[in-house]
Amino acid sequence: MGSRQVKPSFGKNEMERRLQLLYQITSQTKKSLNEQLNNALELTTKLLDMEIGIISSISDDSYTVRNFFPADSGLSEGQVFELGSTYCSITLQSEEVVAINHMKESEYERHPCYAAFSLEAYIGIPVIIDNEVYGTINFSSSQPRKEEFREYDYMLIKLLGEWAAATIKRARIEDDLKEKNERLELISTNSADLICLHALDGVYEYISPSVINILGYSFKELLGKNHADLIHEDDLEELKGSPYQELKDKGVVTNVRYRIKNKKDEYIWFESSVKTVVGEDGSPIGLQSISREVTDRKRLETMFEQAQEMASVGGWEFDLESGKLFWTDEVYRIHDKEIGSEVFVDEGLNYFPDEAKEELEAAISRTINTGQKYDLVLPFISEKGVNKWVRAIGKAHYESGKAMSLSGTFQDLSKQVKYEKRIIAQNEELLKLTKTRDKLYSIIAHDLKGAFFGIKGLLGILLEDIEAPDIDRESIKEKMNMVHLSAENTYELLENLLDWVKIQNGDASPVIEQMDLKGLLLNSISVFESAAVNKGVQIESQVENIFVHGDQNMLSTLVRNLISNAIKYSDKNSKVIVGIEEFSNYINIRVKDFGLGMSADVKKLLFNKEERPQRRGTMYEKGTGLGLLLCADIVEAHNGSIEVISEENKGSEFIVSIPKAKK
């Protein structure tokens, strides 16, 4: 341009001076970047014999002073001028070095800067950073140049401009990094996460300041130490398995949990994600880890898992799009299936028997179509073939009106169902006992009342006969015999009632011991000899020396009831046969009479507690039917059986079979 007047040659010494200046400027490694810029302005201003040196930034029409020399120039850092009022407006238009030796004699004598500041000499160049104008570096003086600017001055300014651009860019980057580092340090210090860089063998190379809050160590205490040295030995072995292999294969592993020792020698739970750091050639050069303490979360999860296990409740989720089914550990345990093994919906449904499976499938389909939650209690067969009862609850999750997934709970109710069945059985037993009690009350109210009413009536008649003026001794004797018989029958009834109540209430368990069955039968026969004689009935015994294991008192009650009934229902001048038969594993006690006998309908009701027949004997002896019920219970307590052979008007035979072996 017209202002540039360059001499055709220049001195070698001047060139060397400028090269030395550039070397001096670029070698300022121990100074800050701002100090380097200020020093460059000072050295160049003096070398060019100028009065002022400025580095400016330009934005729109504003010209801002960033660095200047000398300090007493009247300028200040951050001072702003209109761009049009500075010679730099000329420099920006040229986009290269602008040098003016004598402004008054140049084409720019009317420039506003000359009018305002009367600066006669000027040299400057735009500072370009990343292809954008940052500002200018320029030097000016109030006196014209004695010697015109030479080619080496242009070269100096051009190189100086490039150096200034690089230095300012570096300052920007350093400021940027400093700000980022300050933010990173603030974040990492107060973060719940611990950020670390490791060598490939796990040795710490960088640790974020948050380590002091998380583990209690300073970063200096851990630098150079191996991360593995702090991990619990049991967890370390586990980490060397699938997590290490995943990191090796994929270059990253996430959310791995393990215990790590803090400075207090306490183990806390960590959750870490580790990534392989690779070099420019793609080969691994280190590891980066981000970790956080999850001790409280782990404790809550453990408590939740324990609560689930105690309640036998697990959770499940089914993705309708992917078909993937997820079970919690407790659901695996309920199925008796290996925890973590892959599961499918069809497989899960096959654990239910046919009808239960159909019911569950229908419920799932209804939930997907309507959104209605299902809650079912169903039979279930585990992987090991164990029969269980489970409660299955499920609900659907929708997106844009479409069911996307199902989730719910799965609970083992086997114990509860077992207890419920037991309670139902106990309630039924209680109801049965209540009915039995009511029946006993009815028997006591009816049978005993009737027996004592008969005795009372006979005694009243006897009192009248005794008071009569002419006493009929034979009549009184006959009535006394009747009173005696009624008393015996009432006593027998009372004994049977007491024995039966004991058995029904579970208070009478058989005391099994070896005993002489022949002696027991003969003693029982002797009890009824007088009654048999009074009725003209002969008791014939067919017994041998046989020993059996049983409860002597119970079997005595059994035999007495059978003999008593045989006499009661025998005709006068007939007989009763009492005998024993021995077989290899059991014995039979047989009691046979030749009296009334019974029809098939009566025989069918003999051992029915609700409708037992109550027939009178051949001499109108009262019968309650309770004795045979007692006999049936005694036989059952001895694991035996009772058989009745009877025909109407031809007598009856009762055969009791009892195992010979000790029970």
Side-chain angles (χ1 to χ4, degrees), residues 377-393:
V377 176
L378 300 170
F380 173 85
I381 303 174
S382 75
E383 181 93 353
K384 295 180 178 179
V386 179
N387 289 291
K388 300 181 179 183
W389 283 87
V390 296
R391 183 182 185 186
I393 300 175

Side-chain angles (χ1 to χ4, degrees), residues 490-503:
T490 302
Y491 180 76
E492 179 186 348
L493 173 63
L494 181 59
E495 275 195 327
N496 285 340
L497 279 172
L498 292 175
D499 289 339
W500 194 49
V501 168
K502 285 181 181 180
I503 293 176

